[in-house]
Amino acid sequence: MTKRESLKRLAIAALLGIAVPVSAAEPAAPEAGEGLEPKSVEWEFEGPFGTYDRAALQRGFQVYKEVCSACHSLSFVAIRTLGQPGGPQFSEAEVRAIAAGYKVPAGPNEQGSTVDANGAPLMREAAASDVFPAPFPNEQAGRAANNGALPPDLSLIVKARVGGPNYIYSILTGYGQAPAHITMTPGMSYNPYFPGGQIAMPQPLNMGSVTYSDGTANTLEQQAHDVVTFLTWAAEPTMEERKHLGFNVMAFLLLFTGLLFFSYRLVWHGQH
């Protein structure tokens, strides 16, 4: 069957409301330069009543800290938000301990200098009010450590990519062996979900990359699910509050509409 005949058949079927089997049409293939359609994943936070899974958020932070933070920054997220409502809800002591594990640039010393005698930047222990520090001091250092590629900041990555959480999950779980007809550029990895199929980031997650303290199986899919949940929260930490407010507004509008209707029936309806 030619492509024109296939399209004609699909158009006729659509007009008649007939479902056409996939085998009846040309198999879909991504256009040149595009990636595969992201995998479809059911997320706990989707839908009008969806919420973040607290355990998944805490595990996702562990994946970010132990794996992703070696290359990717989270520069728009304050450490203190890990303990706030709507987030992973670590205890105050846990948040302080997490902050203490990072070093951030210190302010000027008594001499007004921000570097020590050797020219190295003065550093201090991070506080809960600080944002997560970047893994590299500047863009040049980041590129030098990654064969010229600059690892993106992950604070808003879920919002910045078409496909959102499904796309990030597909990238993390989509690495594989390149087909024989594809010539890989040195230093690149094959991932059919990435535009062009070649990505500068080596496969970051593998079976057992982290060991969960709660005993959850540390499969590749589980780790990807957890870190994507965490990154979705990082991009929209007030999602649950927004949904709760929206529900209250809708409930108020419905109640208000009902009151107006009954007021009309009782007060005005019989006076025309």
Side-chain angles (χ1 to χ4, degrees):
M1 183 185 297
T2 66
K3 184 176 181 180
R4 177 174 294 182
E5 291 173 339
S6 177
L7 292 175
K8 182 178 180 181
R9 181 174 178 179
L10 287 173
I12 295 174
L15 290 174
L16 297 177
I18 301 174
V20 179
V22 175
S23 59
E26 297 263 331
E31 297 181 6
E34 295 185 356
L36 293 179
E37 189 74 16
K39 301 174 183 179
S40 180
V41 183
E42 292 185 5
W43 301 100
E44 299 86 350
F45 49 79
E46 289 184 329
F49 303 104
T51 59
Y52 292 123
D53 182 331
R54 305 300 168 210
L57 286 176
Q58 293 192 8
R59 293 193 302 267
F61 171 69
Q62 182 181 350
V63 175
Y64 167 77
K65 181 181 179 182
E66 296 184 12
V67 180
C68 308
S69 65
C71 296
H72 296 276
S73 57
L74 206 63
S75 57
F76 294 100
V77 179
I79 300 174
R80 60 179 170 76
T81 58
L82 294 177
Q84 293 183 346
Q89 295 184 354
F90 286 105
S91 67
E92 184 177 345
E94 288 173 323
V95 172
R96 286 199 302 267
I98 291 170
Y102 292 99
K103 297 292 183 181
V104 297
N109 57 20
E110 296 179 353
Q111 289 73 38
S113 176
T114 58
V115 297
D116 59 21
N118 297 319
L122 295 175
M123 306 296 287
R124 63 170 174 82
E125 186 178 282
S129 56
D130 290 311
V131 297
F132 286 95
F136 305 107
N138 51 53
E139 178 179 334
Q140 291 73 21
R143 291 186 181 279
N146 291 276
N147 296 320
L150 181 64
D153 183 272
L154 297 183
S155 304
L156 301 173
I157 195 70
V158 171
K159 294 292 186 181
R161 298 293 185 269
V162 176
N166 284 343
Y167 172 76
I168 305 301
Y169 178 89
S170 299
I171 289 292
L172 293 175
T173 60
Y175 286 84
Q177 189 70 30
H181 67 277
I182 294 181
T183 302
M184 297 296 296
T185 302
M188 303 293 279
S189 298
Y190 178 71
N191 194 314
Y193 295 96
F194 189 78
Q198 301 193 44
I199 185 171
M201 179 176 67
Q203 182 170 344
L205 298 177
N206 293 281
M207 176 73 177
S209 292
V210 300
T211 300
Y212 289 131
S213 58
D214 63 0
T216 300
N218 53 0
T219 63
L220 169 61
E221 291 74 18
Q222 184 66 55
Q223 295 172 69
H225 172 276
D226 293 340
V227 75
V228 170
T229 300
F230 173 74
L231 293 177
T232 302
W233 165 80
E236 194 174 8
T238 60
M239 182 204 69
E240 292 182 356
E241 181 182 351
R242 173 178 57 80
K243 289 183 178 180
H244 182 69
L245 177 61
F247 177 79
N248 288 341
V249 170
M250 292 301 297
F252 170 78
L253 290 176
L254 288 173
L255 178 60
F256 186 64
T257 301
L259 290 175
L260 287 178
F261 175 75
F262 286 112
S263 297
Y264 167 76
R265 292 294 299 271
L266 292 174
V267 178
W268 301 105
H269 185 65
Q271 298 187 17
H272 292 288

